[in-house]
């Protein structure tokens, strides 16, 4: 007696079709699962048995072998429960083969026979090799989101059997009504003072430039960072599909009736491990925070407190927009294109920046600055010092431009970038940059001075040009880059005082 | 001494003829004769350092020449003694108050622990380490390592020993040097200050040092970050008397690392001095000891900026004790970095506002000044300013109130767009009208203070 039921398992964020084969023969009653199941998969046996019995369905007292094909692929999670149960029902002739023909099953079983959602339902549904997929009721909206397959659902195993036998009609739960994209709760209008910080946010949003904010505690770094997603354009359809799948697979929040189009904002705590940040894990390869921030903002508050190894793991995804996680069990790629916003204090006491204010020793200050490796620092196109706003600014300062107005400029700038064939300027290659961002004579002289004085490396100059181009785009001007464009880009690159070389050094070198 | 351990026959040979008299000098600087304790010890010959000299009078080499071939001079033993962990000037003085360097080394190498501990006034643990290390170390090897590294080892009382230190109350027993010792024949000025300096302090230190060096005064400082580094950099920028760096660690232990370039340039063009042998780490206690050497070497001591409890005040005190002229550069009364230096002025020390004041302190005549100052900004002022709009530039300069300001502060005051403002600031910086340090812009006087001594 043999039955074969299609299902799927999750590999990273991608679903992989799996066939559940059940063979029942005479012999001492036993139940074996083969085909590289992990622990939660092997525990299926007990869940399935309890679910069948609670649903008043028979459990075969025979020798049962369950094979999960393909045999070479590791299976994780409990999503195969339902497929195993259905296969058992088929081999026991509780269900006819024709009743389940062309139908796949993706759900976890409760001991009472209820069906439960499994992470990554969206990816699993689109991976199965048939037209209809049965999922749990609470995963129905998600399963219908984006896949070609028809989604069906049932509350319990008993109900499901009735539907499959034709004793009852499939029940379709009501879908939540489509929501308007909520206006971002945090508006730039609330930020007083910080003209440079606001400008940097705008540039970061328009050009996709990574931003490092250095400043004393309470200066408003976090406040600024939280207003960045509101400036970003909504995710395009491709990005939305990817982000929705990542959220579904990584359990960063169950998607509801529609694709996620709001740019994500992820702010992991500085205790985050490497696996939590970039993805991975010892067995299940899960997407990390940087993938959850795909298309949006990854905000690392207190950058200096993250473990250096974790931070340096960001370098490759920052460069390539994708993270490849390799483990002994296999390797998967997660998309990870995000705007990185870091914030840290200038020194342990937090007060460096103004003349004579810091009480830290030089050694302590240097140790603190060293926590950020040079290569990672290099990835930040903008390094901004965020001073504490003065009382004047706080109480009598003009409220700034609202997010909506700034966002218009950002969208216009992104359209200009789009005409260059990239989503945003930070993705321009160096050859393209050379062609797209010519320097006016005065700007070229200034760039030459900056390079000659050792203030800027060749690569640094490229990045400054790129930021300058974004500034041009925001102002609605066509290149070449004028002096002020480059001057502001330079200001934004080497502002933090602790990044400067010592005073004496600048005289000698 | 030779009863306890075999003394190499050449030990005494290199001792200078003037050893007795310099020993007497030493005792004046050494408060503890070690008489009572020494008498209690078995094997202790006598209490005085000059008495038990059984060295052959003949055959010693030139005092400063050091060992050539098989000869092993006092320098070698002093270097070896100073190389021991925790051997500061005071402990070394106590040992030398009783013994000649070679004898002190013998005592340690032979493992006479209690005797050495009592004489040096240290605990058994320290003495135990000395004895252990001395048993392994070879003075000849230590000395030749210094020579290979191009470091001169100068014993107190020998020919190359700086004159200003000879008459000092606490002269170092041995000095390690790199560079040209003749620098010290110039008039000298010690310029010190805080490591956590402001732009103002660093600028003043730089300019004072540059003009002083251009006028032929050797600038002495400590090669620390902040004021020290600015002073050295200033002295190097002038085409005049080269600078002198007095450091706390061994001459191969560059500290702090960020001054590596400066350190090497001082050694190359001027003189680098240390009381510590090669390999000595920059331990905390070495720096106050270093300060006294700086104070003694300078004809005058200028504190540019010092916090209320700054180490520079220690140098000033040492200089005052030696009867050197002490002066300070006044700073803003609200600046914590000037609290110490301003208090010095309140207590009655001299005030240095420009190079004139400094030259008066040094009794230098203006007539013999070599006046070839390189301009701080060799770039033509017009180059950057050409594109800028003069009215805007003037408005920006007006927005400064002679205190440092950031881009954002200036933007708020002038209402100019951030990009335009950055551009103008950059041009003003290039034109030499502004100075920038990190975030802060400062208006510069027309030409840095005292840059043109002719006016």
């Amino acid at each position: 007696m043999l039955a074969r039921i299609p299902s799927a398992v999750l590999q990273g964020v991608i679903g992989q079709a799996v066939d559940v084969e059940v063979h029942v023969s005479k012999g001492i009653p036993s139940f074996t699962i083969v085909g590289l199941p992990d622990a939660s998969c092997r525990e299926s046996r007990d869940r399935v048995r309890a679910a069948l019995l609670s649903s008043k369905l028979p459990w075969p007292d025979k020798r049962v072998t369950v094979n999960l094909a393909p045999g070479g692929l590791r299976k994780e999670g409990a999503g195969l429960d339902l497929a195993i149960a259905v296969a058992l029902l088929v081999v026991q002739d509780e269900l006819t083969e024709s009743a389940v023909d062309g139908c796949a099953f993706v759900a976890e079983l409760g001991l009472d026979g209820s069906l439960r959602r499994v992470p990554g339902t969206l990816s699993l549904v689109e991976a199965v090799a048939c037209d209809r997929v049965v999922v749990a009721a609470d995963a129905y909206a998600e399963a219908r989101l984006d896949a070609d397959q028809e989604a069906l659902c049932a509350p319990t195993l008993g109900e499901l059997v009735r539907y499959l036998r034709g004793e009852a009609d499939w029940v379709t739960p009501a879908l939540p009504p489509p929501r308007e994209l909520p206006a971002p709760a945090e508006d730039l209008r609330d930020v007083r003072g910080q003209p440079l910080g606001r400008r940097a946010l705008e540039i970061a949003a328009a050009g996709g430039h990574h931003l490092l904010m250095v400043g004393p505690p309470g200066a408003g770094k976090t406040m600024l960072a939280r207003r960045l997603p509101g400036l970003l354009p909504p995710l395009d359809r491709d990005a939305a599909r990817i982000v929705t799948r990542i959220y579904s697979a990584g359990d960063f929040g169950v998607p509801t009736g529609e694709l996620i189009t709001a740019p994500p904002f992820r702010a992991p705590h500085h205790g985050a491990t490497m696996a939590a940040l970039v993805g991975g894990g010892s067995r299940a390869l899960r997407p990390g925070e940087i993938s959850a921030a795909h298309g949006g903002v990854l905000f690392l508050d207190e950058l200096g407190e993250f473990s250096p190894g974790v931070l340096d793991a960001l370098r490759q995804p920052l460069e390539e927009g994708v993270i490849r996680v390799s483990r002994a069990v296999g390797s998967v790629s997660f998309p990870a294109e995000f705007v990185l916003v870091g914030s840290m204090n200038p020194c342990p006491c937090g007060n460096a920046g103004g003349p004579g204010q810091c009480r830290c020793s030089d050694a302590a200050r240097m140790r603190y600055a060293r926590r950020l490796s040079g290569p990672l620092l290099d990835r930040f196109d903008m390094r901004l010092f965020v001073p504490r706003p003065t009382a004047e600014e706080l109480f009598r300062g003009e409220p700034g431009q609202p997010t909506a107005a700034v966002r218009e400029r950002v969208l216009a700038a992104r359209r200009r970038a789009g005409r260059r064939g990239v989503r945003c300027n930070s993705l321009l290659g160096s050859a393209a940059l050379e062609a797209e961002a010519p320097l006016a004579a005065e700007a070229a002289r200034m760039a030459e001075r900056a390079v000659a004085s050792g203030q800027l490396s060749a690569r640094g100059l490229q990045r400054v040009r790129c930021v300058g181009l974004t500034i041009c785009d925001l102002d609605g001007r066509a290149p070449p880059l004028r002096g002020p464009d480059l001057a502001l880009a330079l200001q934004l690159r080497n502002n933090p005082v602790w990044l400067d070389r010592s005073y004496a050094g600048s005289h000698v070198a | 001494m030779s009863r306890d351990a075999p003394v190499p026959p050449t030990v005494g040979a290199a001792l200078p003829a003037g050893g007795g008299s310099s020993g007497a000098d030493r005792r004046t600087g050494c408060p503890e004769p070690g008489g009572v304790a020494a008498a209690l010890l078995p094997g202790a010959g006598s209490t005085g350092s000059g008495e038990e000299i059984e060295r052959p009078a003949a055959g010693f080499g030139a005092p400063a020449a050091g060992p050539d071939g098989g000869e092993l001079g006092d320098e070698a033993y002093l270097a070896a003694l100073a190389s021991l962990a925790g051997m500061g000037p005071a402990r070394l003085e106590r040992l030398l108050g009783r013994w000649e360097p070679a004898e002190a080394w013998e005592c340690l190498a032979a493992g006479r622990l209690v005797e050495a501990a009592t004489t040096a006034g240290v605990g058994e643990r320290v003495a135990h380490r000395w004895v252990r290390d001395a048993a392994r170390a070879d003075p000849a090897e230590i000395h030749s390592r210094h020579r290979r590294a191009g470091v001169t080892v100068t014993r107190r009382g020998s020919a190359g020993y700086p004159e200003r230190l000879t008459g000092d109350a606490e002269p170092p027993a041995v000095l390690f040097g790199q560079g040209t010792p003749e620098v010290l024949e110039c008039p000298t000025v010690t310029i010190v200050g805080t490591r956590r300096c402001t732009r103002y302090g660093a600028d003043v230190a730089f300019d004072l040092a540059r003009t002083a060096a251009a006028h032929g005064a050797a600038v002495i400082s400590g090669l620390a970050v902040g004021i020290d580094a600015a002073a050295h950099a200033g002295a190097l920028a002038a085409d005049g008397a080269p600078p002198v760096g007095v450091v706390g660690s061994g001459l191969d232990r560059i500290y702090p690392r960020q001054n590596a370039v400066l350190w090497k340039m001082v050694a190359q063009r001027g003189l680098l001095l240390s009381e510590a042998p090669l390999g000595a780490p920059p331990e905390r206690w070495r720096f106050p000891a270093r300060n006294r050497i700086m104070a003694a070497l300078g004809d005058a001591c200028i504190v540019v900026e010092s916090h209320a409890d700054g180490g520079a005040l220690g140098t000033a005190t040492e200089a005052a004790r030696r009867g050197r002229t002490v002066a300070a550069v006044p700073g803003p009364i609200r600046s914590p970095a000037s609290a110490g230096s301003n208090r010095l002025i309140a207590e009655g020390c001299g005030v240095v506002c420009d190079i004139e004041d400094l030259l008066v302190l040094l009794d230098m005549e203006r007539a013999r000044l070599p006046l070839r100052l390189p301009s701080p900004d060799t770039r033509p002022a017009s180059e950057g300013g050409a594109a800028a709009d003069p009215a805007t530039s003037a408005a920006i300069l007006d927005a400064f109130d002679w205190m440092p300001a950031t881009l954002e502060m200036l933007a708020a005051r002038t209402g100019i767009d951030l990009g335009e403002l950055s551009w103008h600031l950059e041009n003003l910086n290039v034109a030499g009208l502004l100075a920038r340090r990190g975030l802060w812009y400062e208006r510069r006087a027309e030409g840095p203070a005292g840059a043109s001594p002719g006016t």
Side-chain angles (χ1 to χ4, degrees):
Chain A
M1 293 292 283
L2 183 73
R4 178 181 290 126
I5 299 293
S7 186
V9 294
L10 202 59
Q11 276 242 301
V13 291
I14 312 284
Q16 289 281 345
V18 169
D19 275 340
V20 176
E21 299 171 336
V22 172
H23 181 259
V24 176
S25 63
K26 284 182 184 158
I28 300 169
S30 72
F31 189 94
T32 319
I33 300 182
V34 298
L36 293 183
D38 78 341
S40 61
C41 228
R42 216 171 292 128
E43 288 161 356
S44 276
R45 171 209 145 100
D46 301 310
R47 281 193 300 270
V48 169
R49 183 166 188 273
L52 284 174
L53 296 179
S54 328
S55 310
K56 310 245 174 354
L57 292 164
W59 173 259
D61 282 328
K62 292 181 179 167
R63 185 182 168 91
V64 179
T65 309
V66 178
N67 179 34
L68 310 176
L73 181 76
R74 279 185 186 275
K75 321 307 185 289
E76 289 145 0
L80 298 173
D81 283 4
L82 183 60
I84 294 173
V86 170
L88 284 170
L89 293 174
V90 171
V91 288
Q92 295 180 88
D93 290 329
E94 290 289 323
L95 287 171
T96 61
E97 276 195 44
S98 61
V100 297
D101 189 35
C103 197
F105 298 85
V106 176
E108 181 183 335
L109 283 176
L111 297 187
D112 58 352
S114 59
L115 269 57
R116 289 179 181 159
R117 173 188 177 268
V118 288
T121 295
L122 178 53
S123 302
L124 295 177
V125 167
E126 67 181 358
V128 297
C130 41
D131 298 335
R132 298 190 302 162
V133 185
V134 176
V135 298
D138 55 355
Y140 179 67
E142 183 185 347
R144 280 185 39 122
L145 259 182
D146 195 33
D148 298 331
Q149 283 83 351
E150 185 193 352
L152 299 167
C153 72
T156 62
L157 185 56
E159 284 295 300
L160 175 65
V161 171
R162 283 177 10 101
Y163 297 160
L164 288 171
R165 284 175 181 159
E167 294 166 13
D169 285 338
W170 292 92
V171 175
T172 313
L175 287 177
R179 288 170 306 153
E180 287 289 305
L181 198 60
E186 288 149 331
D187 199 285
L188 258 183
R189 199 173 16 208
D190 314 332
V191 180
R192 308 258 161 165
Q194 310 291 13
L196 203 55
R198 301 161 56 92
R199 186 87 172 131
L201 273 195
E202 184 178 338
I203 296 168
H209 302 289
H210 304 305
L211 170 67
L212 173 63
M213 293 189 284
V214 180
K221 303 184 290 290
T222 311
M223 184 176 179
L224 281 169
R226 290 200 172 279
R227 278 150 184 78
L228 183 53
L231 297 179
L232 292 172
L235 300 178
D236 58 31
R237 184 158 173 84
D238 282 346
R241 294 180 62 190
I242 294 174
V243 169
T244 309
R245 278 169 182 70
I246 292 170
Y247 270 61
S248 164
D251 263 351
F252 293 107
V254 183
T256 50
E258 61 215 271
L259 293 177
I260 296 170
T261 52
F265 179 82
R266 304 294 303 180
H269 182 256
H270 55 71
T273 60
M274 176 103 72
L277 203 63
V278 304
S282 54
R283 284 191 317 263
L285 298 182
R286 291 185 171 284
E289 291 284 349
I290 62 168
S291 298
H294 180 76
V297 177
L298 179 70
F299 176 46
L300 301 183
D301 204 357
E302 302 301 345
L303 201 56
E305 306 296 334
F306 280 84
S307 103
V310 169
L311 284 184
D312 277 341
L314 291 177
R315 279 156 51 182
Q316 181 255 335
L318 280 174
E319 203 76 342
E320 299 175 10
V322 63
I323 172 81
R324 189 163 179 79
V325 179
S326 295
R327 298 285 185 276
V329 294
S331 73
V332 291
S333 295
F334 299 115
E337 262 184 50
F338 52 89
V339 177
L340 176 61
V341 179
S343 88
M344 65 190 291
N345 294 333
C347 63
C349 84
N351 288 325
Q357 287 170 3
C358 173
R359 303 295 303 170
C360 305
S361 72
D362 289 310
R365 210 157 42 212
M366 283 168 69
R367 253 199 316 277
Y368 195 78
R370 259 205 304 270
R371 291 194 199 169
L372 207 54
S373 74
L376 182 62
L377 185 62
D378 207 41
R379 302 294 193 279
F380 288 101
D381 290 350
M382 293 186 283
R383 306 90 181 256
L384 172 74
F385 189 85
V386 182
R388 281 206 185 98
T390 59
E392 177 78 15
E393 285 168 337
L394 279 182
F395 292 100
R396 279 180 289 281
E398 294 284 312
Q401 271 191 322
T403 292
V406 180
R407 191 155 178 268
E408 282 310 309
R409 287 204 296 272
V410 170
L411 294 182
R414 286 250 180 172
R415 280 196 291 277
R416 277 172 175 270
R419 272 177 243 141
R420 300 184 186 111
V422 287
R423 269 200 303 108
C424 52
N425 287 338
S426 65
L427 302 175
L428 281 173
S430 57
L433 200 58
E434 199 77 32
E436 295 288 350
L439 297 176
E442 77 224 24
R445 267 203 304 277
M446 178 174 163
E448 195 185 326
R449 273 200 303 272
V451 173
S453 69
Q455 185 190 356
L456 210 57
S457 65
R459 189 193 141 92
L461 177 61
Q462 287 285 313
R463 303 318 297 166
V464 167
R465 265 174 99 162
C466 194
V467 173
L469 182 63
T470 305
I471 294 172
C472 247
D473 287 350
L474 281 170
D475 291 356
R477 274 181 289 106
L481 271 55
R482 297 177 310 132
D485 302 331
L486 204 66
L488 184 56
L490 263 177
Q491 279 279 352
L492 286 169
R493 188 169 174 88
N494 53 16
N495 238 341
V497 71
W498 52 276
L499 300 171
D500 270 11
R501 291 188 303 171
S502 75
Y503 174 75
S506 68
H507 275 282
V508 174
Chain B
M1 311 306 319
S2 46
R3 268 170 290 157
D4 298 327
V7 181
T10 52
V11 165
L15 286 173
S21 68
S22 75
D25 280 345
R26 253 173 260 151
R27 274 197 301 276
T28 59
C30 172
E32 188 186 313
V36 182
L40 294 172
L41 290 168
S46 61
T47 55
S49 64
E51 289 174 33
E52 50 163 2
I53 301 170
E54 27 178 311
R55 59 178 180 266
F60 65 89
D68 297 312
E71 303 276 290
L72 207 50
D74 269 358
E75 284 85 359
Y77 289 103
L78 283 168
L81 284 170
S83 298
L84 297 173
M87 181 66 82
R91 290 168 179 179
L92 186 58
E93 282 311 327
R94 280 186 220 121
L95 287 180
L96 295 180
R98 175 165 170 205
W99 291 310
E100 287 299 314
E103 292 164 350
W105 183 259
E106 261 329 300
C107 169
L108 290 170
R112 282 157 34 212
L113 190 144
V114 183
E115 197 177 346
T118 334
T119 311
V122 296
E124 290 243 341
R125 281 227 331 253
V126 177
H128 181 77
R129 215 165 57 205
W130 285 354
V131 162
R132 192 193 61 198
D133 293 346
R136 290 179 197 156
D138 173 16
E141 202 278 320
I142 291 173
H143 192 209
S144 71
R145 191 170 45 167
H146 281 83
R147 283 199 309 170
R148 278 199 305 275
V151 173
T152 56
V153 186
T154 313
R155 179 175 47 80
R156 180 171 47 206
S158 71
Y161 198 76
E163 218 172 288
R164 289 183 181 85
L165 289 177
T166 324
D168 197 68
E170 301 157 327
V174 56
L175 268 182
F176 302 88
Q178 221 171 358
T180 41
E182 294 76 27
V183 177
L184 289 175
E185 286 163 20
C186 302
T188 55
V189 56
T190 303
I191 298 182
V192 291
T194 179
R195 286 170 295 166
R196 293 175 287 148
C197 65
T198 64
R199 166 84 203 197
Y200 161 77
D203 259 357
V204 171
F206 184 88
D207 287 334
L208 278 179
R210 192 161 57 95
T211 36
H215 285 97
V219 173
I220 299 167
S221 198
L223 269 171
V225 293
I227 298 295
D228 283 16
H232 280 304
L236 285 167
D239 189 10
V244 179
V246 186
V247 298
S249 54
L251 294 180
D252 58 339
R253 296 288 293 264
I254 299 179
Y255 176 85
R257 289 294 314 178
Q258 71 228 58
N259 281 349
V261 177
L262 211 51
W263 180 293
K264 282 172 190 148
M265 287 182 74
V266 170
Q268 230 170 53
R269 296 199 14 212
L271 175 64
L272 210 52
L273 284 178
S274 174
E275 202 177 357
L278 289 183
E283 288 154 312
R284 218 165 238 271
W285 54 264
R286 293 191 190 271
F287 290 92
R290 179 273 309 261
N291 287 348
R292 84 178 197 285
I293 305 179
M294 281 201 290
L297 284 178
D299 295 334
C301 174
I302 315 288
V303 180
V304 174
E305 254 186 340
S306 172
H307 287 263
D309 51 356
L313 297 181
T315 311
T317 312
E318 292 285 347
R321 272 178 48 198
R322 287 166 171 78
R324 305 285 199 268
T325 318
V326 177
V329 174
I333 54 172
R334 285 178 175 169
S335 164
S338 284
S341 38
N342 282 344
R343 207 182 63 219
L344 278 181
I345 294 173
E347 284 167 2
C349 84
V351 178
V352 171
C353 291
D354 57 17
I355 187 64
E356 299 273 343
D357 297 341
L358 179 56
L359 293 178
V360 167
L361 290 182
L362 292 175
D363 286 334
M364 286 172 70
E365 297 160 30
R366 306 204 53 197
R368 27 178 272 244
L369 310 178
L371 293 180
R372 287 202 13 259
L373 277 178
S375 161
D377 290 304
T378 45
R379 299 162 289 202
S382 61
E383 186 203 316
D389 160 27
T392 318
S393 299
I396 293 171
L397 285 180
D398 278 346
F400 278 95
D401 46 10
W402 297 101
M403 289 292 283
T406 62
L407 178 73
E408 290 184 291
M409 289 160 76
L410 292 169
R413 287 178 204 165
T414 60
I416 301 173
D417 168 76
L418 286 169
E420 289 291 330
L421 186 58
S422 314
W423 174 236
H424 278 94
L425 287 173
E426 163 70 15
N427 288 327
L428 289 169
N429 190 10
V430 170
L433 293 171
L434 291 181
R436 179 178 180 186
R437 187 184 198 201
L439 291 173
W440 298 87
Y441 289 91
E442 241 175 325
R443 221 177 137 173
R444 279 177 92 129
E446 313 294 330
S452 42
T455 56

